[in-house]
Amino acid sequence: MSSKKTSEQIRAEFFDFFREKDHEIVSSASLVPDNDPTLLFTNAGMNQFKDVFLGSGDRPYKRAADTQKCLRVSGKHNDLEEVGIDTYHHTFFEMLGNWSFGDYFKKEAIAWAWELLVDRWGLDPSRLYATVHEGDKALGLGADEEAAGFWKSETSINPDHVLFCSSKDNFWMMGDTGPCGPCSEIHIDLRSDEERSKVPGSTLVNADDPRVMEIWNLVFIQYDAQRDGSLEPLPAQHVDTGMGFERLVAVLQDKRSNYDTDLFGPLLSKIAELTPRPDINSYLSIDAEGKELEKVKIAMRVIADHARAITFTIADGVMPGNVGRGYVIRRILRRAVRFGYQTLELREPFLHNLVGTIGDQMSKVFPEVGSRREYVEQVVRAEEESFLNTLGTGLSFFDRIVPFVQRFAAGDGDVESVRSDLEQDRRTTDLLEKSFVQADSRAEVIQRFEEVASGGVLPGEIAFLLHDTYGFPVDLTQLMAREEGLGVDMDAYQELMRQQKDRARSAATLIADDEDDDSWREISRGERSEFVGYDRTAVDDARISKVRKVHDAEGAEVYEVVLDRTPFYAESGGQVGDVGHLRIGDHVIAVTDTRRADDEIVHFVDELPGDLDGPVVAEVDSARRTRIMKHHTATHLLHAALREVLGPHVAQKGSLVAPDHLRFDFSHFERVTPTQMDEIATLVNQKVQENIEKGEERSVPRSKALERGAMALFGEKYGDTVRVITFDPSFSIELCGGTHVDATGEIGIFAFKSEGSVAAGVRRVEALVGFDALGYLKSQVEELGRVREQFKTVQRPTDEEVADLMDRYKEATKELERVRGASLASQLDDILASASKVDGVRIAVGNVGTAAMDDLRTLGQQLRDRSGDGTVGVLGSIDPEGGKVFLVATVSDDLIKEKGLKAGELVGRLAKLVGGGGGGRPELATAGGKNPSKLDEALAEAPVAVQSSI
């Protein structure tokens, strides 16, 4: 069928239909599942209602409908590798759903689905098929005749189109145990009438034919799966349906590809607008054929899909990173950037330019992508810039290696020739040596490379180098290898990753002396590690539970001690561990650190007492603890102040609470301005002066704490009950296990020390409180006094004196640059005068001596502006420090158009002669090399290179 309905109208009509059926239209849940550690991302509509199905939660309504944001890129539901290759898989998608919580069941769900699809939206009944569960002996279930009967009694479907299918397709389970039940899927046959007459659609249902596909799944949750595999009837029966919005829109708009709908049209048009390739006018107008045409379309589809995924996830609070959710988003983003770079020739950041298009389309239904647009754009751009810094080099590395892998894999009997070519290719063997770092010689490197490559496999060592040095997620390397018909040795890659983690772990943690020494020696049985430090800083009747000897990172011998109860706070949540001492009889032992291991509090000491069985007096260094408490409370006030001044997007990304300072990392994209810093500090000090009393609640149900607005730190693990720290319910409420002052006035004073960036979209501030802050401010005043003494006059404020000095410095620098530029430009007359002609092309070549790349590029542009038509210019210079050589090439517009000359290709060819590489636009391009002595040789080659390119 063909419909003029827009996607926005289709979504609205779905809501209107179920609103008529007394459903509550609810908002989509976040892509970051709330308190569900089993999921990285929301991947189905039922996620936000999981607690209802499990019987641990309820809702104030019995019927609901929604469109849920979903992301499927990991685990069981992983569509990432299919995205772009076909036209109907997506990473991000919307799932329309209607729900019944113990209200209506199969009869209504089936009847309403048919009513909406056929009666409201006009789908051809003859093209629709319904599947029901055929039964499963292992589950003790017969066929779902009830659902089949309703299909026949409540709809006008052809009875022959009701198909019984296996549990694989028609029985839904939340997990190995828990709520489950049969489902009924609705499939549509989109083939032509001629095809349908030849092959019945019933034979293609669930056969992975994209023309006969599922559009709606009706799940009937009626059983509770037990650990023994049996099914128990649930006291309440539920309905859970899911209909992929993108597929639905394609069907209703009579499109054979989801990307041909208005959901993707604006995005694809924007991508076509951004690419510099002249043969791409739009997604449907590409001047290419065959493999190249499909390659371009795949790239555009990948970018469109991935742009939606990263926009929505970042808007929901996920920052690209190296672990967990952040790593998934980084993978998606870098996959999109790679397709843009290699296929669409997008060499500059471009993905961030798509965020606004997505916001314009989707913000009515998902307001967060509109309200957080600027923030998302900034995060995406920074991530793009970071990856682009190494992408070109990494791709070049990959491209140099792949031909040798393919030649070794070909096994054409000319292995000696391949090996000889590889040995003579110094740059490639250098790269291989960086990969095979454990090899003893270059010969061994080549041998190990050949052994793996001969099987048509890219060595895992290379995949690891691409990941570790150039930022390529390994699945991106696998994708590029697959495009070249190659595999990747993942066993070797995983082993190198394991070794890297082991090295990091051994450098950052205490290490055992040997197999005998790292075992615990149990001293007494009973309770272990009861923490009493919230209420006291000393106990006088503790007992040693167990001890062991280890070595620290420097190799020194130390001991770990676990007590049955302790006032020592173990390093956690950013707060450093306590120090102090243990006293057993007359023996006093210093505690140098306290950490948590396996849910036990471990005290680090340099020695053990002779008597391990006696009572222990455990006493914390209370003066140090007090300083830590002040800084920790200040961290809570700072967090709240940052959110109030900078906005609710601010979220803690890391912290350190020490006795002499605090460090706080948070999500924010721009530099925090001096004015904002002053406003934040003033707000914190205001709360200090108000002397707000600490509110402390222990063992609060986590759900209730979150309902009250308590801040939970992203990535932190919390139990079912939590400790809540409040300093004014309208200002700061946080889940926290750390120690705090009893009232904010004890902090004394708060002062910032620094502000800066630590990662894309993450800022860091350092601050001090109390006497530490006073000491810092005093040193600042003294330093200002010393600066003041350097000026001869005291008539003006110091900042004006410094500003005047800086202005004079800038003027002198500008004058120096002007003189240097004029000196270089004066050489252009001689260079143009001595230009030669080759086949009617004027070639101006010159060595300008010492000049930085920026100066040479400016000179190249001046040469191009002055030389007119029919001219190629090539200039070279030596870096002022003498270690590098620079080249710039220019080509006039007429030669680009008429003779196909390109500056990028020309300068790239000449750069090889100076031991480097480069490229750029057809009209002007630059390159660099490491052999300054070869500059004149490269310049002399310019006329030859031009002649061979005409």
Side-chain angles (χ1 to χ4, degrees):
M1 65 163 292
S2 178
S3 170
K4 294 184 179 179
K5 297 180 190 296
T6 66
S7 56
E8 191 172 331
Q9 289 173 320
I10 293 169
R11 190 191 292 110
E13 289 177 359
F14 176 85
F15 290 157
D16 290 342
F17 178 84
F18 281 102
R19 192 178 284 112
E20 293 172 12
K21 307 298 183 185
D22 299 322
H23 287 63
E24 179 82 13
I25 307 303
V26 299
S27 299
S28 169
S30 169
L31 280 170
V32 180
D34 183 27
N35 295 321
D36 188 346
T38 66
L39 288 174
L40 270 180
F41 296 100
T42 298
N43 62 8
M46 57 75 58
N47 292 156
Q48 71 165 306
F49 302 116
K50 189 174 179 179
D51 61 326
V52 179
F53 299 143
L54 290 170
S56 60
D58 56 23
R59 299 292 186 274
Y61 42 81
K62 292 293 185 181
R63 301 179 179 185
D66 70 347
T67 181
Q68 173 62 52
K69 300 177 291 188
C70 296
L71 197 71
R72 291 186 178 178
V73 289
S74 59
K76 177 182 176 182
H77 298 293
N78 186 352
D79 295 337
L80 181 60
E81 298 307 316
E82 305 300 327
V83 173
I85 307 302
D86 62 33
T87 62
Y88 52 90
H89 277 102
H90 301 288
T91 53
F92 171 86
F93 61 95
E94 291 182 60
M95 184 69 82
L96 300 176
N98 59 287
W99 314 82
S100 167
F101 307 121
D103 189 15
Y104 64 83
F105 201 44
K106 296 180 183 179
K107 178 179 179 180
E108 294 84 351
I110 290 170
W112 292 341
W114 188 264
E115 180 183 350
L116 179 58
L117 293 176
V118 176
D119 299 340
R120 296 289 181 94
W121 282 335
L123 293 186
D124 181 355
S126 70
R127 292 181 176 273
L128 297 178
Y129 293 82
T131 63
V132 296
H133 189 224
E134 69 179 8
D136 191 325
K137 288 183 179 180
L139 295 175
L141 296 178
D144 191 357
E145 297 289 355
E146 181 183 23
F150 286 136
W151 275 112
K152 295 170 184 176
S153 67
E154 303 302 316
T155 76
S156 58
I157 195 172
N158 181 340
D160 293 336
H161 285 202
V162 180
L163 311 175
F164 287 87
C165 296
S166 67
S167 295
K168 174 179 176 292
D169 296 305
N170 281 84
F171 195 87
W172 178 89
M173 300 186 73
M174 183 181 294
D176 294 335
T177 61
C180 58
C183 60
S184 189
E185 297 178 341
I186 304 171
H187 297 252
I188 187 166
D189 187 345
L190 298 175
R191 296 174 300 150
S192 67
D193 291 337
E194 181 182 0
E195 291 175 301
R196 293 169 62 210
S197 66
K198 294 178 181 178
V199 179
S202 58
T203 64
L204 299 177
V205 169
N206 287 330
D208 293 326
D209 189 320
R211 301 166 303 169
V212 182
M213 63 182 183
E214 173 201 339
I215 57 171
W216 206 344
N217 188 14
L218 316 178
V219 180
F220 310 123
I221 302 175
Q222 58 188 111
Y223 300 109
D224 185 4
Q226 306 298 303
R227 293 189 180 278
D228 62 3
S230 63
L231 302 178
E232 296 289 338
L234 287 170
Q237 297 175 327
H238 312 291
V239 171
D240 158 12
T241 83
M243 178 160 52
F245 184 54
E246 289 74 13
R247 287 189 183 183
L248 174 68
V249 172
V251 169
L252 293 180
Q253 293 183 355
D254 198 20
K255 305 295 184 182
R256 291 299 175 264
S257 162
N258 295 356
Y259 294 92
D260 292 336
T261 68
D262 66 337
L263 277 171
F264 289 92
L267 262 180
L268 292 167
S269 295
K270 184 66 176 179
I271 294 167
E273 174 189 322
L274 292 173
T275 176
R277 285 186 54 163
D279 57 340
I280 302 176
N281 301 305
S282 71
Y283 178 67
L284 300 177
S285 177
I286 301 170
D287 297 331
E289 297 179 353
K291 289 184 178 179
E292 181 61 22
L293 174 61
E294 185 58 18
K295 184 179 178 182
V296 170
K297 285 202 164 189
I298 287 174
M300 295 181 74
R301 292 196 291 260
V302 166
I303 293 168
D305 172 273
H306 290 9
R308 298 198 331 156
I310 60 179
T311 295
F312 274 88
T313 48
I314 293 173
D316 275 353
V318 179
M319 288 290 295
N322 290 327
V323 295
R325 297 183 178 99
Y327 182 62
V328 172
I329 301 311
R330 177 165 284 170
R331 285 169 52 206
I332 294 174
L333 187 148
R334 291 186 172 184
R335 187 171 189 257
V337 170
R338 199 275 296 191
F339 272 98
Y341 186 98
Q342 280 193 305
T343 305
L344 304 187
E345 299 179 3
L346 290 159
R347 301 291 189 263
E348 301 293 331
F350 66 91
L351 277 175
H352 67 283
N353 291 315
L354 303 177
V355 174
T357 303
I358 296 167
D360 292 342
Q361 272 190 285
M362 310 292 275
S363 58
K364 287 185 179 179
V365 182
F366 307 106
E368 64 276 6
V369 297
S371 62
R372 299 172 188 169
R373 167 181 171 173
E374 184 176 351
Y375 173 70
V376 175
E377 286 176 341
Q378 292 170 331
V379 172
V380 174
R381 182 182 180 92
E383 189 70 15
E384 288 185 275
E385 289 174 343
S386 173
F387 186 41
L388 283 168
N389 285 336
T390 57
L391 175 61
T393 306
L395 288 173
S396 176
F397 170 31
F398 181 85
D399 291 340
R400 291 189 73 90
I401 296 293
V402 162
F404 286 104
V405 178
Q406 293 171 327
R407 290 177 65 189
F408 277 126
D412 55 5
D414 194 23
V415 173
E416 286 297 330
S417 175
V418 180
R419 192 180 298 126
S420 175
D421 289 347
L422 178 57
E423 289 171 347
Q424 295 177 37
D425 189 336
R426 181 61 182 269
R427 187 173 179 189
T428 301
T429 51
D430 285 346
L431 291 170
L432 288 177
E433 286 185 333
K434 291 181 180 178
S435 300
F436 292 90
V437 293
Q438 296 175 340
D440 294 329
S441 64
R442 175 163 291 192
E444 183 182 347
V445 167
I446 294 175
Q447 178 186 351
R448 290 175 59 179
F449 173 68
E450 179 184 339
E451 288 173 353
V452 180
S454 60
V457 174
L458 190 76
E461 290 82 356
I462 291 171
F464 178 77
L465 184 66
L466 284 169
H467 161 79
D468 196 49
T469 303
Y470 301 107
F472 281 60
V474 70
D475 58 324
L476 179 55
T477 301
Q478 289 177 298
L479 173 64
M480 295 190 300
R482 188 163 55 251
E483 291 172 349
E484 300 292 340
L486 304 173
V488 176
D489 183 358
M490 291 302 296
D491 289 341
Y493 170 81
Q494 295 293 355
E495 173 60 20
L496 288 168
M497 288 294 292
R498 185 194 64 77
Q499 291 176 13
Q500 184 188 59
K501 290 178 181 177
D502 287 347
R503 287 192 298 270
R505 190 179 298 115
S506 65
T509 64
L510 295 174
I511 55 177
D513 183 15
D514 54 42
E515 291 185 1
D516 294 329
D517 285 342
D518 69 355
S519 59
W520 286 101
R521 177 184 171 191
E522 188 168 311
I523 306 302
S524 64
R525 297 181 179 276
E527 295 296 326
R528 293 175 178 170
S529 295
E530 177 190 357
F531 178 64
V532 297
Y534 292 139
D535 305 310
R536 64 186 76 175
T537 57
V539 296
D540 57 11
D541 56 352
R543 293 279 179 178
I544 296 177
S545 299
K546 58 182 183 177
V547 299
R548 70 173 173 178
K549 181 175 69 174
V550 296
H551 281 73
D552 64 17
E554 285 74 38
E557 191 175 89
V558 296
Y559 296 88
E560 297 178 350
V561 175
V562 175
L563 303 176
D564 62 345
R565 61 197 191 99
T566 179
F568 283 78
Y569 182 84
E571 179 180 328
S572 179
Q575 180 174 328
V576 298
D578 280 333
V579 301
H581 64 266
L582 305 179
R583 189 171 69 248
I584 303 94
D586 296 330
H587 201 153
V588 178
I589 299 170
V591 176
T592 58
D593 197 3
T594 311
R595 303 182 194 176
R596 186 171 289 277
D598 298 327
D599 291 327
E600 293 181 325
I601 297 172
V602 178
H603 309 75
F604 290 86
V605 298
D606 293 333
E607 57 178 322
L608 290 178
D611 178 15
L612 296 175
D613 296 319
V616 177
V617 176
E619 189 168 356
V620 172
D621 182 338
S622 58
R624 180 178 180 272
R625 164 79 80 82
T626 297
R627 294 172 67 196
I628 293 172
M629 289 160 53
K630 291 179 180 181
H631 281 97
H632 200 154
T633 299
T635 302
H636 282 218
L637 302 182
L638 170 62
H639 191 184
L642 285 166
R643 291 174 59 84
E644 187 160 319
V645 174
L646 302 180
H649 65 275
V650 168
Q652 182 173 336
K653 296 297 180 182
S655 69
L656 172 67
V657 180
D660 57 349
H661 73 290
L662 69 86
R663 186 178 71 218
F664 191 79
D665 298 344
F666 58 97
S667 55
H668 186 62
F669 212 81
E670 301 173 318
R671 170 177 174 263
V672 184
T673 67
T675 300
Q676 290 172 325
M677 292 284 283
D678 183 62
E679 187 176 351
I680 294 163
T682 298
L683 181 53
V684 173
N685 280 307
Q686 176 185 325
K687 296 301 178 181
V688 170
Q689 294 303 311
E690 290 176 10
N691 198 28
I692 304 167
E693 290 189 5
K694 174 185 69 180
E696 178 187 17
E697 300 169 87
R698 304 176 191 175
S699 300
V700 179
R702 182 180 59 192
S703 58
K704 289 188 177 180
L706 295 176
E707 286 174 6
R708 287 163 45 189
M711 293 290 296
L713 303 188
F714 188 82
E716 284 286 319
K717 295 181 180 179
Y718 298 100
D720 294 332
T721 60
V722 294
R723 179 170 176 259
V724 181
I725 297 296
T726 303
F727 290 99
D728 183 349
S730 64
F731 188 68
S732 172
I733 310 176
E734 291 198 24
L735 308 187
C736 182
T739 58
H740 291 271
V741 296
D742 291 327
T744 60
E746 296 177 33
I747 293 172
I749 189 172
F750 172 93
F752 279 120
K753 188 175 182 181
S754 65
E755 189 275 342
S757 172
V758 291
V762 179
R763 308 297 296 183
R764 169 175 291 174
V765 292
E766 294 195 29
L768 310 166
V769 303
F771 283 108
D772 295 290
L774 285 175
Y776 171 72
L777 294 174
K778 181 175 180 291
S779 69
Q780 294 294 98
V781 172
E782 290 173 349
E783 181 179 338
L784 179 61
R786 291 192 297 272
V787 171
R788 187 71 179 150
E789 290 175 358
Q790 301 301 311
F791 296 97
K792 302 300 182 183
T793 175
V794 292
Q795 300 303 312
R796 290 194 299 171
T798 303
D799 60 335
E800 293 183 12
E801 293 281 6
V802 173
D804 182 59
L805 186 63
M806 292 301 298
D807 287 342
R808 281 182 278 162
Y809 171 76
K810 290 176 182 177
E811 287 299 321
T813 302
K814 288 180 181 178
E815 179 61 18
L816 180 61
E817 291 294 327
R818 186 191 67 76
V819 172
R820 184 169 60 181
S823 175
L824 289 172
S826 67
Q827 301 182 48
L828 291 182
D829 293 333
D830 294 337
I831 293 171
L832 287 170
S834 61
S836 61
K837 278 203 172 184
V838 175
D839 294 341
V841 176
R842 183 186 183 201
I843 304 177
V845 180
N847 183 337
V848 302
T850 300
M853 175 60 86
D854 288 344
D855 295 329
L856 189 66
R857 185 186 293 108
T858 301
L859 201 61
Q861 185 62 56
Q862 293 175 359
L863 175 63
R864 188 174 189 275
D865 294 341
R866 291 175 56 179
S867 59
D869 289 344
T871 303
V872 171
V874 179
L875 303 177
S877 69
I878 305 298
D879 179 60
E881 297 182 1
K884 297 179 182 178
V885 58
F886 302 129
L887 292 167
V888 63
T890 68
V891 179
S892 57
D893 293 338
D894 61 315
L895 294 180
I896 297 172
K897 184 176 181 181
E898 297 171 9
K899 295 186 178 293
L901 286 175
K902 295 181 180 179
E905 294 177 359
L906 175 60
V907 82
R909 175 173 172 178
L910 299 179
K912 293 179 181 179
L913 298 175
V914 294
R921 304 188 309 273
E923 63 273 14
L924 187 148
T926 60
K930 56 185 179 182
N931 295 325
S933 62
K934 298 286 187 179
L935 174 57
D936 289 336
E937 179 183 337
L939 295 175
E941 180 70 12
V944 179
V946 172
Q947 187 176 33
S948 65
S949 300
I950 296 176

